[in-house]
Amino acid sequence: MTEFFDLRPGYQISRVIRGGWQLAGGHGAVERRDAVADLALFCEAGITTFDCADIYTGVEELIGEFRSVYKDKHGADALRRVKIHTKCVPDLDLLPRISKAHVQAIIDQSLKRLRMERLDLVQFHWWDYDFPGYLETALWLKELQQAGKIDLLGGTNFDTPRSAELMEAGFPLASMQVQYSLLDARPENSLVALCRKHDVHLLCYGSVAGGFLSDQWLGRPEPKPPFENRSLTKYKLVIDDFGGWALFQELLATLRGIADTYGSDIATVASRAMLERPQVGAVIVGARNRHHLAANRAIFDLRLTPGDHADIASVLRRRKGPEGDTFTLERDRHGRHGSIMKYNLNKEAS
């Protein structure tokens, strides 16, 4: 049975969200007709919420095409149950000179690409706190919400102090999208408590660490760079911080033991474990095509026992990191995590 969650009264999302990042440029060729059909299959399977961004090259346009096709086939009422979450991610180079006109242009572009009259949820991201304009930019987004162009507003990767600043400034934060997994528990350091206090729920990406939290890696020797893609490079750094390959293998073995009990798999158990964490509204799953649909759908059907969580916790008690607040490591552009990030994706896409 599909699980839904009321992010706000009258705004319901599926607790498994189909991510759009893997449909972006740089992840291989995408056959548009097949991709649109795949999105419809996810909807029919109960995964009715989709995540994208202004910086995911071509993805907003593809989802816009899907919305038109889905409406023609199923009608306007069915389409209203489909929620599209996008982002407002001003390029790093734009931050020193960002204006209300820039922000409005980003939102108008997303409306056009997605073929929507009002965006469902816009998740705001800010690359560098040394540029102080994030509060002003957030309040420009609020003005666009009040003008009817946006339904809900959320954040992406804000740390705890800046999330508190946004709330205190009157930014109506409905959600915070963060990297959060059994390997990366930084939101638990302080952000979860703040979100609990203010009824903000987390939308978690990276819950299977780019595929590392899967049966594919159980019992395998530690891989060495270069890796196949930037996602594996990124999450291997998380594994190193977590405690290294040996502790990671212990976690995989524990998850495999739990999966055996339910006839499941490591990735499904890892995702379910995050759904059962406090303040988590949904997990975002990466899927290039329909071949992942059955596994993603299985997350709804699994329930973990207190004993299962205790077994997982017995491994997690020995983890060493990653340390600090949400996304702090990634903001250090000269550090191990930040040096592999791309900060001007709108410019690159254009």
Side-chain angles (χ1 to χ4, degrees), residues 149-257:
K149 293 192 174 187
I150 302 168
D151 189 352
L152 296 185
L153 287 167
T156 302
N157 294 325
F158 276 87
D159 63 15
T160 308
R162 277 74 180 197
S163 295
E165 281 187 59
L166 289 173
M167 297 173 193
E168 290 165 6
F171 186 68
L173 200 63
S175 63
M176 183 62 69
Q177 185 177 137
V178 290
Q179 183 171 296
Y180 191 14
S181 71
L182 295 176
L183 293 170
D184 184 358
R186 285 177 288 172
E188 295 175 11
N189 292 341
S190 56
L191 183 64
V192 168
L194 177 73
C195 288
R196 183 186 299 119
K197 180 179 179 181
H198 293 277
D199 191 32
V200 175
H201 284 82
L202 304 180
L203 308 179
C204 307
Y205 68 88
S207 60
V208 296
F212 272 117
L213 284 169
S214 70
D215 288 281
Q216 174 186 353
W217 290 97
L218 177 62
R220 286 184 56 178
E222 183 172 4
K224 304 297 181 184
F227 296 102
E228 180 182 347
N229 55 56
R230 191 159 51 95
S231 182
L232 291 177
T233 302
K234 165 183 166 179
Y235 289 111
K236 178 56 170 61
L237 293 174
V238 171
I239 291 170
D240 294 343
D241 290 349
F242 174 75
W245 196 252
L247 186 61
F248 169 62
Q249 285 296 315
E250 285 189 50
L251 177 60
L252 289 185
T254 298
L255 296 176
R256 181 65 257 170

Side-chain angles (χ1 to χ4, degrees), residues 59-348:
V59 178
E60 285 185 323
E61 292 95 333
L62 192 152
I63 291 178
E65 184 176 337
F66 152 71
R67 292 184 72 259
S68 293
V69 171
Y70 196 78
K71 180 180 179 181
D72 289 343
K73 184 176 180 180
H74 298 282
D77 286 342
L79 183 62
R80 275 191 284 272
R81 292 191 288 271
V82 177
K83 298 300 182 189
I84 309 298
H85 296 176
T86 193
K87 301 181 184 71
C88 175
V89 186
D91 282 352
L92 176 65
D93 289 349
L94 179 62
L95 301 189
R97 53 187 176 85
I98 194 167
S99 67
K100 183 188 291 190
H102 287 125
V103 176
Q104 182 163 332
I106 291 171
I107 297 306
D108 286 344
Q109 177 178 256
S110 291
L111 285 165
K112 180 179 179 181
R113 289 171 171 175
L114 289 165
R115 307 183 192 185
M116 301 178 78
E117 295 181 0
R118 182 178 68 173
L119 299 173
D120 291 330
L121 172 69
V122 173
Q123 301 163 108
F124 172 45
H125 176 83
W126 192 262
W127 285 116
D128 191 338
Y129 298 138
D130 286 341
F131 300 108
Y134 54 89
L135 288 179
E136 189 173 26
T137 302
L139 295 178
W140 289 331
L141 286 169
K142 182 180 177 181
E143 288 181 19
L144 292 170
Q145 180 190 44
Q146 292 168 337
K149 293 192 174 187
I150 302 168
D151 189 352
L152 296 185
L153 287 167
T156 302
N157 294 325
F158 276 87
D159 63 15
T160 308
R162 277 74 180 197
S163 295
E165 281 187 59
L166 289 173
M167 297 173 193
E168 290 165 6
F171 186 68
L173 200 63
S175 63
M176 183 62 69
Q177 185 177 137
V178 290
Q179 183 171 296
Y180 191 14
S181 71
L182 295 176
L183 293 170
D184 184 358
R186 285 177 288 172
E188 295 175 11
N189 292 341
S190 56
L191 183 64
V192 168
L194 177 73
C195 288
R196 183 186 299 119
K197 180 179 179 181
H198 293 277
D199 191 32
V200 175
H201 284 82
L202 304 180
L203 308 179
C204 307
Y205 68 88
S207 60
V208 296
F212 272 117
L213 284 169
S214 70
D215 288 281
Q216 174 186 353
W217 290 97
L218 177 62
R220 286 184 56 178
E222 183 172 4
K224 304 297 181 184
F227 296 102
E228 180 182 347
N229 55 56
R230 191 159 51 95
S231 182
L232 291 177
T233 302
K234 165 183 166 179
Y235 289 111
K236 178 56 170 61
L237 293 174
V238 171
I239 291 170
D240 294 343
D241 290 349
F242 174 75
W245 196 252
L247 186 61
F248 169 62
Q249 285 296 315
E250 285 189 50
L251 177 60
L252 289 185
T254 298
L255 296 176
R256 181 65 257 170
I258 295 169
D260 286 341
T261 303
Y262 303 104
S264 187
D265 59 74
I266 288 174
T268 300
V269 174
S271 295
R272 186 70 224 179
M274 299 316 300
L275 270 186
E276 296 180 4
R277 287 288 198 271
Q279 290 306 118
V280 171
V283 294
I284 301 167
V285 298
R288 279 189 58 77
N289 52 52
R290 68 188 69 182
H291 298 303
H292 300 276
L293 176 55
N296 296 155
R297 179 68 181 75
I299 300 169
F300 290 135
D301 301 321
L302 182 62
R303 294 294 183 278
L304 301 181
T305 67
D308 296 331
H309 284 291
D311 289 343
I312 294 170
S314 69
V315 179
L316 299 186
R317 277 194 291 269
R318 288 179 282 134
R319 67 186 169 201
K320 298 179 180 178
E323 296 181 335
D325 210 328
T326 299
F327 212 69
T328 299
L329 293 170
E330 291 82 354
R331 291 185 192 279
D332 177 5
R333 295 196 291 279
H334 304 290
R336 294 162 55 246
H337 296 264
S339 62
I340 65 170
M341 303 292 292
K342 293 187 176 181
Y343 298 92
N344 294 292
L345 287 167
N346 277 303
K347 181 189 294 184
E348 291 181 23

